[in-house]
Amino acid sequence: EAFNPGGLMLDFWADELACGAKQTVKVYVINDTTLDWEGDVKVTIRQGDRVVFEKAQPVAVPALGREIPSFEVTAPAAAGAYLMQAELTDTAGRRVRSRRDFAAK
């Protein structure tokens, strides 16, 4: 995924979130091609294989450009270890992910 011409970065750096807290998270989407790009950006929070939060939105990025969509996420109500993930999927089905581990307390 590191060499995909479409990139993204989940701008979330906290080690902990309060259970049930709402947080606005930005996702930087970069297009390193000379063609305009369109696809979906999805942010999920998982505990193991279980998805406890999911939100997606379409994004269009001009050639050699970037867009920074924001997502309002809600931390899980139950304390524990979680993974927040931003995922970019283009119309050809290629995907790129950015992941951060955190604890809900």
Side-chain angles (χ1 to χ4, degrees):
E1 295 176 0
F3 294 103
N4 193 314
L8 85 161
M9 183 201 68
L10 176 63
D11 191 12
F12 174 77
W13 306 101
D15 291 330
E16 298 177 356
L17 285 177
C19 291
K22 293 189 184 297
Q23 170 118 13
T24 300
V25 175
K26 294 179 182 177
V27 178
Y28 287 73
V29 182
I30 298 118
N31 179 1
D32 280 340
T33 72
T34 56
L35 302 172
D36 292 347
W37 182 92
E38 288 185 27
D40 291 327
V41 176
K42 178 170 57 173
V43 172
T44 57
I45 297 177
R46 300 174 181 269
Q47 187 173 44
D49 291 336
R50 187 172 63 98
V51 175
V52 297
F53 174 88
E54 180 175 275
K55 200 175 271 189
Q57 60 181 291
V59 66
V61 185
L64 302 173
R66 75 168 187 199
E67 291 294 322
I68 309 169
S70 293
F71 292 80
E72 186 172 308
V73 300
T74 303
Y82 293 90
L83 172 73
M84 187 182 301
Q85 174 177 286
E87 183 175 306
L88 179 70
T89 305
D90 67 13
T91 54
R94 293 177 295 227
R95 70 179 180 180
V96 178
R97 296 168 289 199
S98 179
R99 300 173 171 180
R100 307 281 188 266
D101 294 314
F102 73 98
K105 293 190 172 190

